[in-house]
Amino acid sequence: MSFNLATSFENPAKRTRKAAVPQRRPDLQLRTGRRDLGRIATSLRNLGVHRGDKVAIQLPNVPHFCSLTSASSRPARSWCAKPAAARAGITYRLKDSDSRLLITFETSADEAVKGAAEIEGLSTYVVNLPGNEQRPVDTKSFDELYGADDTGDIEPTDADDTAVIIYTSGTTSKPERAELTHHQLYVNCTANGQLFRFRDEDVSMSVLPMFHVFGLSSVLNVAVRFGGTLVLVPGFHAQTVVDELARRRCTIFAGVPTMYRALLQADTDGRDLSALRVGYPATRPSPVR
């Protein structure tokens, strides 16, 4: 059966809004409209990325991550890596996945380039914060991927084709590939959204790393699937999270138990959190107060 995750996201994505809350850089914005996603997808095709090829994404919670996972699923599949991954880990994953392209962040670019140097013919693109144009030698700016015209084409794929590869942490052995299909990702985000009655007026905070499956499938994909607003926080700091929950009038928050424990100790005086209607944890039960 022909099925592509990008197709099922097409209409809701027109309504999805992404509000970036990067640490120290509240001015970070990204072109996230449907046309810009199409431009990235066309650029990937022009670079020779087609069905079955892999695009490596090594980014923190920034809007570019959202755009890439949506755009890359049109012509190919992607795999996600921890931004702080060491050189050897990057090299291993690039070789194991046979990636055609690496997209990394400015703060992890130096180590990523060292890891990518062992892969012949691999191109590396770097996402920079506004005002910073510095990149390692022989890398390209992510903004170049906006240069192509949106053709509107979405590569035909089967429901059981791999859409995203998530690697295990490799604590006890080498990291293992966990391949998630277009159908699995669609069913997972649809079920989660229905469980919490996600509406297009909801504002969901994404502080869990999107290179993990919970942050990717149960937070990012749910917001895109149902056309809500996604507030991106690149790293967890309890007081920052509380402040942004109030300021952005967030209605949905997802976290792990350690986050909830830290949030219980944060200062909430003068902060209106009445908009928050759902808080759901990953892994084990969370504290109650």
Side-chain angles (χ1 to χ4, degrees), residues 163-210:
V164 173
I165 299 171
I166 301 287
Y167 277 88
T168 62
S169 61
T171 304
T172 58
S173 62
K174 285 187 176 181
E176 299 290 336
R177 274 184 292 176
E179 301 195 15
L180 306 174
T181 69
H182 289 265
H183 183 252
Q184 286 173 331
L185 289 170
Y186 175 77
V187 169
N188 186 274
C189 69
T190 300
N192 275 285
Q194 291 174 342
L195 177 64
F196 300 114
R197 296 180 175 86
F198 200 103
R199 306 180 294 262
D200 59 6
E201 64 264 29
D202 272 318
V203 181
S204 176
M205 177 174 284
S206 175
V207 67
L208 290 164
M210 291 188 290

Side-chain angles (χ1 to χ4, degrees), residues 83-200:
R87 170 183 177 177
I90 290 294
T91 302
Y92 170 77
R93 290 170 175 83
L94 289 171
K95 288 182 176 180
D96 182 71
S97 63
D98 192 25
S99 294
R100 296 287 305 274
L101 208 70
L102 170 63
I103 299 174
T104 188
F105 196 59
E106 62 176 27
T107 55
S108 53
D110 289 337
E111 197 70 8
V113 167
K114 292 176 184 177
E118 300 184 31
I119 315 297
E120 185 177 354
L122 182 79
S123 296
T124 300
Y125 287 77
V126 178
V127 172
N128 288 100
L129 290 173
N132 178 28
E133 304 249 342
Q134 295 185 344
R135 300 184 308 276
V137 177
D138 295 328
T139 63
K140 301 177 182 179
S141 170
F142 175 84
D143 288 346
E144 291 184 23
L145 298 179
Y146 291 120
D149 292 329
D150 176 18
T151 63
D153 294 336
I154 295 180
E155 195 89 12
T157 57
D158 293 331
D160 291 334
D161 283 351
T162 298
V164 173
I165 299 171
I166 301 287
Y167 277 88
T168 62
S169 61
T171 304
T172 58
S173 62
K174 285 187 176 181
E176 299 290 336
R177 274 184 292 176
E179 301 195 15
L180 306 174
T181 69
H182 289 265
H183 183 252
Q184 286 173 331
L185 289 170
Y186 175 77
V187 169
N188 186 274
C189 69
T190 300
N192 275 285
Q194 291 174 342
L195 177 64
F196 300 114
R197 296 180 175 86
F198 200 103
R199 306 180 294 262
D200 59 6

Side-chain angles (χ1 to χ4, degrees), residues 7 12 30 43 46 69 77 92 103 109 128 151 156 170 193 206 234 250 277:
T7 303
L30 179 72
S43 292
N46 293 343
T69 52
R77 63 184 71 172
Y92 170 77
I103 299 174
N128 288 100
T151 63
S206 175
C250 293
R277 66 178 185 85

Side-chain angles (χ1 to χ4, degrees), residues 27-28 52 60 65 72 79 89 142 145 152 179 181 195 216 227 236 268:
D27 57 329
L28 176 62
F65 192 112
S72 61
W79 68 263
F142 175 84
L145 298 179
E179 301 195 15
T181 69
L195 177 64
L216 173 68
F236 179 77
T268 59

Side-chain angles (χ1 to χ4, degrees), residues 266-287:
D267 182 12
T268 59
D269 288 346
R271 294 165 179 83
D272 182 3
L273 301 174
S274 61
L276 191 65
R277 66 178 185 85
V278 174
Y280 59 103
T283 65
R284 58 191 182 275
S286 294

